[in-house]
Amino acid sequence: MTVFQKKQTDKRSASFKHSQGEKRFDKRSGDKRSSSKKFDEQSERRARPMSKPLVKKSVKPTASSVEVTEKKAKVVGEKLQKILARAGQGSRRELEEIIAAGRVSVNGKIASLGDRVQVSSATKIRIDGNLISLIPAQKEICRVLMYYKPEGELCTRSDPEGRATVFDRLPRLTGARWIAVGRLDINTSGLLLFTTDGELANRLMHPSREVEREYSVRVFGNIIDEAMLQRLRKGVQLEDGPANFKQIKTVGGTGLNQWFDVTLTEGRNREVRRLWESQGVEVSRLIRIRYGNIKLEKGLPRGGWEEMGLEQVNYLRELVGLPAETETKVDVTKNRRRTNIRQIRKAVKQHSKYRVKV
């Protein structure tokens, strides 16, 4: 190799090394630039607020939501048991059981509990196949009876064993029927109200109305002291929940038999008896003497009834938030007491014959 060729070779290797050095430098500087860029992006992210304001998205109505809205809009009419109660076919509780048993039909279809009906001239409601007259029943005068229930009668319309019921001695009606306002057990006597208005009966019985019931009680048992009475006023736990007497008044008595007047604001099954039994005391006699402000008439014999006048009927209606009645079936021109005594004697006599036959 000549000297000239050697010089040319050295120049080429020098230029190649120079170019490689520039590339390395560019690569390093590029790395530095990229790292600084990443650092700037991270600082920007930190500077930004972490939470963004929520924007409500417009939800398009689905087919199911549209159906639910349409169903809610289509709920019209009154509950079937309410219509029938107003028509004098019984209390709502009784009618709910009848509807659940499949005994009621509306326009030829068996009704279910919870059905609503929009009453019109073409509406046909049947109970056990019998057509119920709805429009005339809306104009029916609200009537209320006071009945002195004797011991031994059942608070039911009919008894499979043929025992006497509280409906046996009531006056007969045309186009309506008597509905008992609550119940008294077979061994309890006293005031029992009957009405032709199912809505009135239902409201008077409902616990939310807190209508007072007063009973005269004869108890037999251990020594009854003030501590026991205080427990009964404060409340004790029964099988179906807590219960208490609103008021307890000592009336009298001798020995182990003592009389008390007690007041409740509900009518659970055998509640008075169970409250005393929770204290180890036995109830030997129980008489209901008041319902709301309606007191048992002193001159009314056991098994007798008396129809209430307009003033007493409207007291009961106002008590439960119903409009006042303007008409009455009671003839105010006649001597009501004399007429009632005749009716009572006749009813008691007929009932006595019936009991002897049974």
Side-chain angles (χ1 to χ4, degrees):
M1 179 182 290
T2 60
V3 176
F4 176 76
Q5 290 176 339
K6 189 176 181 181
K7 288 181 179 180
Q8 290 291 329
T9 305
D10 293 335
K11 285 180 181 180
R12 287 172 188 171
S13 61
S15 62
F16 176 77
K17 288 178 181 180
H18 179 69
S19 62
Q20 289 292 328
E22 286 179 349
K23 286 180 180 179
R24 287 173 188 170
F25 177 78
D26 291 337
K27 191 175 180 181
R28 290 172 185 173
S29 62
D31 292 338
K32 288 179 181 180
R33 288 192 198 106
S34 62
S35 62
S36 62
K37 189 176 180 181
K38 287 179 182 178
F39 177 79
D40 292 338
E41 286 177 358
Q42 289 176 358
S43 61
E44 283 180 6
R45 287 174 187 171
R46 290 172 185 171
R48 290 175 191 169
M50 295 300 293
S51 60
K52 294 182 181 180
L54 296 174
V55 179
K56 291 184 178 180
K57 296 182 180 180
S58 59
V59 180
K60 293 181 179 180
T62 60
S64 59
S65 63
V66 171
E67 287 177 5
V68 171
T69 308
E70 287 178 355
K71 284 181 181 178
K72 286 182 180 179
K74 288 179 182 178
V75 174
V76 291
E78 288 184 291
K79 286 188 177 180
L80 182 56
Q81 61 265 33
K82 187 174 181 180
I83 294 170
L84 292 172
R86 189 170 60 245
Q89 298 303 310
S91 68
R92 284 201 219 171
R93 293 180 184 177
E94 292 174 339
L95 291 165
E96 284 174 0
E97 294 176 2
I98 293 171
I99 294 168
R103 295 167 56 190
V104 181
S105 66
V106 180
N107 296 331
K109 295 181 180 179
I110 299 298
S112 302
L113 194 60
D115 284 357
R116 289 178 175 268
V117 179
Q118 194 166 12
V119 179
S120 66
S121 57
T123 304
K124 293 183 179 180
I125 301 177
R126 287 181 167 85
I127 298 178
D128 296 330
N130 300 316
L131 185 63
I132 306 301
S133 180
L134 300 175
I135 297 174
Q138 294 175 355
K139 300 177 183 178
E140 183 72 27
I141 296 172
C142 175
R143 301 174 67 181
V144 182
L145 282 185
M146 174 191 298
Y147 179 67
Y148 192 161
K149 176 193 175 298
E151 295 176 359
E153 286 187 353
L154 297 172
C155 287
T156 183
R157 293 193 181 275
S158 60
D159 180 61
E161 300 177 16
R163 291 174 293 181
T165 76
V166 293
F167 292 92
D168 293 338
R169 287 190 263 198
L170 301 184
R172 304 300 175 191
L173 296 175
T174 303
R177 65 178 185 170
W178 296 113
I179 302 163
V181 180
R183 297 186 178 190
L184 295 175
D185 65 59
I186 191 169
N187 296 318
T188 302
S189 62
L191 176 62
L192 188 61
L193 299 181
F194 292 87
T195 178
T196 56
D197 189 335
E199 182 64 20
L200 175 62
N202 181 70
R203 293 196 186 192
L204 286 170
M205 289 186 288
H206 202 279
S208 64
R209 300 293 175 176
E210 296 186 345
V211 180
E212 288 187 354
R213 291 100 157 150
E214 187 175 359
Y215 297 82
S216 186
V217 190
R218 186 179 69 187
V219 295
F220 175 84
N222 299 324
I223 298 173
I224 299 171
D225 55 10
E226 186 58 34
M228 181 190 294
L229 299 181
Q230 190 61 31
R231 287 195 297 272
L232 290 171
R233 290 188 190 101
K234 188 176 180 181
V236 297
Q237 187 67 32
L238 301 179
E239 300 86 352
D240 53 354
N244 69 293
F245 291 126
K246 186 177 179 181
Q247 290 181 343
I248 305 176
K249 298 177 185 177
T250 304
V251 179
T254 56
L256 295 177
N257 288 299
Q258 297 186 52
W259 283 91
F260 295 91
D261 287 348
V262 298
T263 305
L264 300 119
T265 55
E266 58 182 358
R268 280 189 268 171
N269 185 35
R270 299 183 71 255
E271 188 172 4
V272 176
R273 295 179 186 275
R274 289 188 294 142
L275 275 165
W276 285 106
E277 287 169 2
S278 70
Q279 305 302 307
V281 177
E282 182 185 352
V283 174
S284 57
R285 194 168 179 191
L286 183 60
I287 309 167
R288 185 195 275 170
I289 58 176
R290 181 170 63 88
Y291 196 101
N293 282 351
I294 306 297
K295 294 182 179 180
L296 182 64
E297 292 285 349
K298 292 183 179 179
L300 193 66
R302 294 179 188 176
W305 56 267
E306 180 177 330
E307 185 162 359
M308 294 184 185
L310 194 59
E311 185 179 350
Q312 288 178 308
V313 170
N314 283 335
Y315 158 74
L316 292 172
R317 294 180 69 82
E318 184 182 354
L319 189 65
V320 294
L322 288 174
E325 183 62 82
T326 56
E327 299 178 59
T328 179
K329 291 280 188 179
V330 177
D331 192 349
V332 294
T333 61
K334 292 183 179 180
N335 188 334
R336 287 183 61 204
R337 176 61 62 184
R338 185 176 295 175
T339 305
N340 286 336
I341 288 172
R342 287 200 207 102
Q343 291 175 335
I344 289 165
R345 284 175 179 170
K346 184 179 178 181
V348 171
K349 189 176 180 181
Q350 288 177 346
H351 189 69
S352 300
K353 287 181 180 178
Y354 172 79
R355 291 293 297 276
V356 170
K357 288 179 182 179
V358 173

